[in-house]
Amino acid sequence: MAAAVAAVAVVSALGACSAGGDGADSSGLEGIAYDDYSSESWRDVPTDEQEEYDDSPEQSFQDVTTSPLSTFASDVDTASYSNLRRQLNQGVAPEGVRIEELVNYFDYDYAAPEPDAADPFTVTTQVADAPWAPGHQLAMIGVQATDTRATDRGNNIVFLLDVSGSMDEPNKLPLLADSFELLVDQLDEDDTVSIVTYAGSEQVLADSVRGDRHDKLVKTLRRLEAGGSTGGAAGLETAYELASKNFVEGGNNRVILATDGDFNVGPSTPEQLTDLIEQHARTGVYISVLGFGMGNLKDHTMEAIADHGNGNYAYIDTLDEARKVLVDEFDSTMFVVAQDLKVQVELNPATVAEYRLLGYDNRRLDDEDFADDTKDAGDVGAGHEVTAFYELVPADGETDGDDLDYQSSEVGDSSDFLTVHVRYKHPGADESTEVVFRAGADSYTTRPTTDFRFASAVVEFALAVTESDNAEDASPRRARERAQAALGEDPYGLRSEFVGLIDEYREIVDQALSKEG
């Protein structure tokens, strides 16, 4: 059965995703009841036990009267989506699916801040009915960062490249070199680049090279060869030393780590590595992580490094994905406009009885962490968007008293759904600023926007794939229909590609079911 499933993924289903353009449903599976089957056969598709993913539990429904606050750190990582794409392309059971990273992979048409706005972002809210749970509602919260850089000073970048033996595969080191060539093309004479490689030991291949020396940098990248064990910690130390030596006050000082995440020599656990990079993050040198390859991908380690190093984490499965991250999203990847951005949502018991945050399972914070400026959270780059969904169970209108906004005697009968509190620091600041946005009764609509419909389809698909305990009747079929109808302009074809991924998933499941029967 496993061989047959893999075969259909490689031979038949691959074309649906790569062609993906018109989103037509060519799977011929309309008679299959995907909402009712037990997917144990799909789970039998072999996975590589050396791949490691975070296993943070999803949030269950919370009672608003006892838990009226929901707090989480912002997250702009997108690695989970491109890794999911890679897994489906290879007929591998999806692992490490983080709802927020699937949702945040796509662009949404949120209103941008005015050029002279006091805060470098806007917050948009919308509430509509939940497609997979009759009687429930969905609240969509969108944070749109300004696309204006906080600084025009140069880039001081250190490429930290894994050239260990595990990188000796076509979709690892060769793709890595091609990807960084794209990044080199974005740099100019105001930028400084250093290149450090590591395997059994680290090696400095370029030290403080001017960014417009494209020929020298590209030649260095094309000479990379893989071999040896993986001692990442020593490479990190060397990379940080070079970044500190060339530090640009007020500029973008960043290490870009490219690896499959397999640190098997020296400090290697997420805890040991994050202790190391947190120390350097406090100096203003941040780290972003690019994951490559399959088989021994240490997704958990790479996400932890990026989160604790004030950076972001992307997974590069194709050169097109590299172009998206390193060219199209260059400013948002490199230039921070809001640091330690946290979101705290206060639910109104007059309108909401229960709620749950969809995703952000390893980004949730204790409520008291919201006002604690020493508590690290996610950084948001120029033009970044952060989107979160809450599933709401409407209330019957009765409330209990408390000292929070909606539970005091003066506003206990408010018709608001919720209030969004956002705290952030301006780049380089030690103290945070708080801004507040209310989602009133007029946030509810029976005709949600195209963005809402598409993003909610992404959420529904993720709930089905992860077999969420609270997914109700989340359906890949319905998610596909809604996504197909909400493609919008889709200039890069990414939404159409998502429709193709759903087709791949359904086709692989159908093959597994037919073998089982």
Side-chain angles (χ1 to χ4, degrees):
M1 185 276 295
V5 172
V8 73
V10 174
V11 178
S12 302
L14 249 177
C17 179
S18 55
D22 62 7
D25 186 356
S26 59
S27 61
L29 304 176
E30 295 306 319
I32 302 295
Y34 287 90
D35 308 330
D36 300 327
Y37 79 94
S38 171
S39 63
E40 289 307 310
S41 56
W42 161 238
R43 295 298 169 191
D44 285 342
V45 175
T47 59
D48 194 312
E49 294 181 359
Q50 291 183 327
E51 296 198 2
E52 295 177 1
Y53 297 94
D54 179 58
D55 58 356
S56 298
E58 68 174 342
Q59 184 176 62
S60 58
F61 280 99
Q62 307 294 302
D63 188 325
V64 177
T65 59
T66 57
S67 301
L69 299 177
S70 172
T71 308
F72 64 95
S74 65
D75 191 355
V76 295
D77 296 344
T78 59
S80 185
Y81 180 86
S82 46
N83 190 39
L84 170 74
R85 177 174 60 205
R86 183 266 300 181
Q87 292 175 101
L88 289 177
N89 282 349
Q90 296 175 331
V92 176
E95 292 187 275
V97 177
R98 294 183 287 273
I99 293 175
E100 71 278 8
E101 294 187 23
L102 268 61
V103 171
N104 286 323
Y105 184 83
F106 300 95
D107 290 329
Y108 305 106
D109 190 23
Y110 299 133
E114 296 295 331
D116 58 349
D119 302 304
F121 57 84
T122 59
V123 174
T124 301
T125 57
Q126 188 174 174
V127 181
D129 294 333
W132 59 83
H136 290 194
Q137 297 167 334
L138 280 183
M140 181 181 184
I141 299 171
V143 178
Q144 174 66 62
T146 179
D147 60 5
T148 302
R149 295 181 181 181
T151 177
D152 287 327
R153 301 186 181 182
N155 296 287
N156 163 35
I157 306 176
V158 181
F159 299 171
L160 178 56
L161 311 179
D162 183 351
V163 294
S164 62
S166 66
M167 294 292 289
D168 190 18
E169 297 180 16
N171 63 349
K172 292 188 179 182
L173 193 57
L175 178 58
L176 181 158
D178 289 343
S179 300
F180 276 83
E181 284 188 33
L182 294 176
L183 175 56
V184 165
D185 286 341
Q186 308 306 304
L187 305 177
D188 58 31
E189 68 274 7
D190 295 326
D191 304 318
T192 301
V193 178
S194 301
I195 301 177
V196 178
T197 62
Y198 67 91
S201 61
E202 74 281 4
Q203 184 177 3
V204 178
L205 300 186
D207 183 349
S208 312
V209 176
R210 211 169 66 178
D212 62 347
R213 292 292 312 276
H214 294 176
D215 54 344
K216 177 179 176 63
L217 294 169
V218 168
K219 186 179 296 185
T220 301
L221 291 169
R222 289 179 178 169
R223 289 176 176 171
L224 295 175
E225 294 182 356
S229 55
T230 314
L236 279 169
E237 287 283 19
T238 301
Y240 278 121
E241 288 174 8
L242 289 170
S244 298
K245 182 180 75 170
N246 299 311
F247 193 87
V248 177
E249 195 66 41
N252 170 42
N253 299 280
R254 187 174 299 269
V255 173
I256 302 180
L257 168 62
T259 178
D260 58 8
D262 187 14
F263 297 90
N264 54 34
V265 174
S268 59
T269 69
E271 293 75 20
Q272 291 171 317
L273 291 167
T274 54
D275 285 346
L276 172 66
I277 61 122
E278 278 182 350
Q279 297 172 21
H280 293 284
R282 298 187 192 102
T283 70
V285 178
Y286 303 151
I287 185 167
S288 293
V289 183
L290 303 180
F292 288 84
M294 59 171 290
N296 60 344
L297 182 72
K298 302 300 185 283
D299 178 81
H300 181 207
T301 300
M302 292 188 285
E303 184 191 21
I305 289 173
D307 288 348
H308 289 266
N310 291 355
N312 42 17
Y313 167 38
Y315 176 80
I316 308 298
D317 59 333
T318 65
L319 195 59
D320 283 340
E321 183 65 17
R323 186 173 292 105
K324 176 180 184 292
V325 173
L326 298 174
V327 178
D328 301 340
E329 299 173 357
F330 179 82
D331 284 356
S332 58
T333 299
M334 298 294 175
F335 293 95
V336 173
V337 297
Q339 290 182 305
D340 290 339
L341 192 145
K342 308 170 190 172
V343 179
Q344 186 170 82
V345 176
E346 180 188 342
L347 286 300
N348 179 8
T351 54
V352 181
E354 296 179 277
Y355 69 91
R356 71 183 188 108
L357 174 62
L358 301 171
Y360 294 90
D361 296 324
N362 61 5
R363 304 292 282 166
R364 294 195 294 271
L365 300 172
D366 293 334
D367 294 335
E368 56 268 26
D369 291 337
F370 181 67
D372 183 355
D373 285 345
T374 66
K375 186 68 176 180
D376 187 56
D379 292 351
V380 177
H384 258 148
E385 297 163 346
V386 179
T387 301
F389 277 94
Y390 282 85
E391 184 174 347
L392 311 178
V393 179
D396 58 11
E398 297 180 2
T399 64
D400 294 327
D402 206 327
D403 59 355
L404 294 169
D405 286 351
Y406 296 125
Q407 297 177 354
S408 70
S409 58
E410 293 151 274
V411 292
D413 58 353
S414 168
S415 61
D416 293 352
F417 286 96
L418 50 87
T419 291
V420 181
H421 302 257
V422 180
R423 291 190 79 94
Y424 74 98
K425 297 172 186 173
H426 290 285
D430 294 323
E431 296 183 359
S432 64
T433 300
E434 181 175 346
V435 289
V436 179
F437 305 85
R438 294 181 184 270
D442 58 353
S443 298
Y444 176 80
T445 179
T446 57
R447 302 184 66 183
T449 62
T450 298
D451 283 343
F452 185 104
R453 287 183 285 122
F454 182 83
S456 66
V458 176
V459 172
E460 183 168 10
F461 177 65
L463 290 173
V465 168
T466 58
E467 298 183 339
S468 166
D469 292 336
N470 300 285
E472 296 290 339
D473 67 339
S475 161
R477 180 196 309 282
R478 183 172 50 236
R480 184 203 186 282
E481 292 172 353
R482 200 159 68 260
Q484 177 65 50
L487 296 180
E489 294 183 4
D490 197 23
Y492 300 107
L494 297 179
R495 294 190 179 190
S496 294
E497 179 192 58
F498 173 68
V499 173
L501 286 182
I502 299 177
D503 288 340
E504 281 200 42
Y505 174 81
R506 293 169 62 194
E507 186 167 345
I508 295 169
V509 169
D510 181 60
Q511 290 290 325
L513 287 172
S514 65
K515 292 292 183 180
E516 189 179 66

